[in-house]
Amino acid sequence: GGGRLETRLSRRRVAVLAVFSCYSLVNAFQWIQYSILSNVFAGFYGVSFTQIDWLSVVYMVAYVPLILPATWLLDTRGLRLTALLGAGLNGLGAWLKCASLAPDRYPLTLAAQAVCAVAQVFILGLPSRIASVWFGPTEVSTACAVAVLGNQLGTAIGFLLPPVLVPNTPNDINLMAHNIGIMFYGTAIVSTLLFFLTGVVFEEKPKYPPSYSQAVLQTMPPEDYSYKQSIINLFKNIPFVLLLISYGIMTGAFYSVSTLLNQMIVTHYEGEEVNAGRIGLTLVVAGMVGSIICGLWLDYTKTYKQTTLIVYILSFIGLLVFTFTLDLGYLIVVFVTGGVLGFFMTGYLPLGFEFAVEITYPESEGTSSGLLNASAQIFGIVFTLVQGKLTTDYGPRAGNLFLCAWIFVGIILTALIKSDLRRHNVNTGIMNLDVKAVPVDSPVEPESTTLKIQSAL
């Protein structure tokens, strides 16, 4: 009838999630592939470590000015176009890297990395949107965690494969170029395949909404939505602003640790580039496990603030332990402490996305996620540059303690967030409303039914 809210789950949702996770994986791989081989690429291109660090920082720099146009595009042009742009630019950047296989082409490889950085803008904000639009209320947090998982897995592979594919051969530049070429061309081919798969699999939304909260949003007239007003509403939402800062601190710290991990390890363990990559892999794989566990826990308990705060505190403790055991001379200890740190620090990422959606509903998931990522990039830029300088001048401990101080600030901000689970309240409360009472031939307009639902909630 005119007032019925019908929900169903689409079989296509799994394919959409899988393809997105795969091209997000490749984008994350391209972000970290230079940093984990910073000494190799510095020798190949004849540049400083700082210039190699910029191949990671450019991802963060590009995101900040482009996130508002990207979220506007997502909200006005839709999910499919945004997904195609992310996958397409990812492939284009990968092919440009193939043209930079010469020691005098650092500017070209930087430009190629900048293209991949722009692709990232159309990728990082999609997990919560895909989860909300395609998945039901009992699986939405898990779906968001899996979507974030793809990006984390890409970082993990980026830590593992490059040191194996490109061993340090400073006395044979031609062999080094050949090995780098294998990595670059392989990435470009995979990226192109995923672009075509995105075109085949992605649709704007399923035929039927997967949850009552989505059904309510879809009955709202398009002219009622204002992107500008949505931004204003988000910044008036004090709990969201607190989460915006605390999420930026935690995720920015993760970006900084990931970028500088090679330098931290080889400072105390000379010639251990491969093990530095394996430690990075351990950090991210443990974080992937943490992400899935946190997603499942949120779907089961809906304890967003409590879980977020606990994970934040444990990340702080994990970084302290990692900092003071790094120079003990035992790589096995670094593997263990890195894994514990990654479990909590990386496991936090989907928590922030889902917490933001809950406390800002019915504002767009893409907009709230985009602002969270922008905050992460800003903090990531500052943390990477400052920690890099401290690591170079005073050693890894000074740089890590700098991050510990900021994460402690994030704990305080998280504790101040007032939890208001708006989306969850819609999904659990909608069935108590008389939304099916309007007959087919009733003179009441559908929009009136929507207003009735919103007022009741």
Side-chain angles (χ1 to χ4, degrees):
R4 178 182 292 274
L5 294 179
E6 184 173 3
T7 64
R8 296 183 190 176
L9 294 179
S10 169
R11 294 180 181 177
R12 183 181 286 262
R13 72 190 191 283
V14 176
V16 170
L17 182 62
V19 171
F20 169 77
S21 297
C22 286
Y23 76 74
S24 178
L25 179 157
V26 176
N27 185 259
F29 175 85
Q30 296 200 80
W31 164 58
I32 204 66
Q33 65 182 170
Y34 291 102
S35 295
I36 199 60
L37 291 173
S38 55
N39 57 331
V40 174
F41 278 105
F44 180 73
Y45 286 115
V47 296
S48 66
F49 279 101
T50 300
Q51 287 172 287
I52 297 301
D53 288 344
W54 271 101
L55 293 170
S56 172
V57 173
V58 70
Y59 261 59
M60 309 173 204
V61 172
Y63 195 92
V64 177
L66 294 177
I67 184 53
L68 290 182
T71 53
W72 173 85
L73 187 73
L74 176 61
D75 290 339
T76 58
R77 300 297 180 184
L79 185 61
R80 176 177 164 82
L81 177 60
T82 305
L84 285 170
L85 278 171
L89 289 171
N90 202 41
L92 176 61
W95 282 109
L96 285 174
K97 289 181 182 181
C98 297
S100 68
L101 290 170
D104 60 344
R105 295 181 185 175
Y106 171 81
L108 180 56
T109 211
L110 177 61
Q113 189 75 332
V115 174
C116 295
V118 175
Q120 176 208 217
V121 180
F122 299 103
I123 294 173
L124 287 188
L126 291 190
S128 56
R129 171 62 68 90
I130 291 173
S132 295
V133 170
W134 284 90
F135 288 83
T138 61
E139 57 188 15
V140 63
S141 295
T142 304
C144 182
V146 172
V148 174
L149 190 72
N151 203 266
Q152 296 171 356
L153 182 58
T155 305
I157 296 173
F159 279 126
L160 177 66
L161 273 186
V164 175
L165 295 175
V166 189
N168 192 10
T169 56
N171 298 322
D172 193 342
I173 296 298
N174 290 331
L175 177 59
M176 187 180 293
H178 172 76
N179 292 332
I180 294 173
I182 292 174
M183 179 171 67
F184 282 174
Y185 277 102
T187 305
I189 292 170
V190 172
S191 299
T192 304
L193 175 62
L194 288 170
F195 170 68
F196 288 114
L197 282 176
T198 302
V200 172
V201 169
F202 262 78
E203 289 184 355
E204 192 57 44
K205 60 184 178 181
K207 183 177 181 181
Y208 296 97
S211 64
Y212 290 111
S213 60
Q214 280 297 306
V216 171
L217 290 178
Q218 292 181 19
T219 58
M220 296 175 64
E223 59 269 19
D224 285 356
Y225 175 77
S226 167
Y227 179 71
K228 179 181 178 181
Q229 188 60 46
S230 180
I231 295 290
I232 294 173
N233 292 342
L234 288 173
F235 279 103
K236 286 183 177 179
N237 187 327
I238 300 302
F240 175 73
V241 173
L242 292 173
L243 180 61
L244 186 69
I245 299 172
S246 61
Y247 183 90
I249 291 172
M250 177 64 79
T251 312
F254 168 71
Y255 290 160
S256 184
V257 170
S258 299
T259 300
L260 300 170
L261 185 62
N262 173 271
Q263 296 179 42
M264 285 191 277
I265 299 301
V266 299
T267 296
H268 297 296
Y269 305 91
E270 187 176 351
E272 294 288 355
E273 291 87 359
V274 173
N275 273 323
R278 290 171 180 166
I279 292 168
L281 173 68
T282 303
L283 186 148
V284 178
V285 169
M288 290 161 55
V289 175
S291 294
I292 293 298
I293 291 175
C294 289
L296 292 170
W297 177 254
L298 287 186
D299 276 332
Y300 179 72
T301 66
K302 304 300 179 184
T303 55
Y304 290 87
K305 177 179 176 178
Q306 297 92 322
T307 304
T308 301
L309 182 59
I310 290 171
V311 170
Y312 221 115
I313 293 171
L314 292 174
S315 297
F316 172 73
I317 296 172
L319 185 56
L320 278 176
V321 174
F322 176 81
T323 299
F324 287 101
T325 58
L326 183 61
D327 60 351
L328 293 181
Y330 300 101
L331 270 174
I332 186 63
V333 174
V334 183
F335 273 96
V336 173
T337 57
V340 173
L341 175 63
F343 182 88
F344 295 111
M345 183 175 278
T346 316
Y348 171 84
L349 303 184
L351 292 179
F353 279 154
E354 283 300 288
F355 195 12
V357 173
E358 287 294 338
I359 63 179
T360 61
Y361 179 87
E363 303 300 337
S364 167
E365 304 91 347
T367 306
S368 61
S369 297
L371 290 175
L372 288 179
N373 282 319
S375 175
Q377 309 300 332
I378 292 171
F379 278 102
I381 293 168
V382 175
F383 287 172
T384 301
L385 295 178
V386 174
Q387 187 188 9
K389 180 65 174 175
L390 290 172
T391 299
T392 301
D393 293 348
Y394 303 104
R397 178 172 294 184
N400 285 332
L401 287 176
F402 166 77
L403 293 184
C404 288
W406 275 99
I407 292 177
F408 184 76
V409 173
I411 292 173
I412 297 173
L413 295 177
T414 303
L416 295 175
I417 297 174
K418 181 181 178 181
S419 180
D420 182 13
L421 306 185
R422 301 180 181 183
R423 180 181 63 179
H424 174 64
N425 292 338
V426 170
N427 284 326
T428 56
I430 195 76
M431 291 303 294
N432 297 324
L433 302 175
D434 190 19
V435 297
K436 297 183 180 179
V438 182
V440 176
D441 56 353
S442 170
V444 179
E445 293 294 325
E447 288 80 5
S448 301
T449 305
T450 302
L451 293 175
K452 178 178 175 183
I453 295 169
Q454 293 170 327
S455 299
L457 292 175

